[in-house]
Amino acid sequence: KSASAHWVRDVEVVLLTAYPGWTKHYVFLSSTPLTCQWAEPTNAVMHFSQASSGGEAVLSMVTTALVSKRKVDIHANGCEIFEIYLK
């Protein structure tokens, strides 16, 4: 199944993880969108690359949302996050 850009609205970031030495970060949300589950059925976890364009900003926003317990709106393609907005 092919993924397409979609919005994940009004969710909480519950966990942020990464492997040492990797620029890919995994973002666990209060609800995993179906589009992510369809795109990556064996590992349906939202993610982004810190090394990609805008990756540092996404890391900053995800960290802020996690620490402050604020909900977010996420623009993603499948499981890959490319925009995030604090609510």
Side-chain angles (χ1 to χ4, degrees):
K1 295 176 184 163
S2 75
S4 61
H6 61 279
W7 284 96
V8 181
R9 299 199 182 271
D10 208 31
V11 292
E12 289 183 38
V13 176
V14 295
L15 182 66
L16 172 64
T17 65
Y19 292 105
W22 288 30
T23 60
K24 188 173 185 177
H25 296 273
Y26 295 92
V27 181
F28 293 83
L29 303 173
S30 55
S31 175
T32 303
L34 285 176
T35 49
C36 177
Q37 294 174 32
W38 294 332
E40 299 182 33
T42 59
N43 189 25
V45 178
M46 301 298 289
H47 56 78
F48 67 94
S49 173
Q50 187 177 345
S52 69
S53 175
E56 291 287 336
V58 171
L59 177 60
S60 175
M61 296 295 277
V62 168
T63 303
T64 299
L66 179 63
V67 171
S68 65
K69 299 184 187 305
R70 289 179 62 180
K71 292 191 175 189
V72 294
D73 287 342
I74 293 174
H75 202 193
N77 188 350
C79 294
E80 186 172 0
I81 298 168
F82 58 89
E83 283 183 281
I84 182 169
Y85 297 92
L86 292 174
K87 302 278 289 181

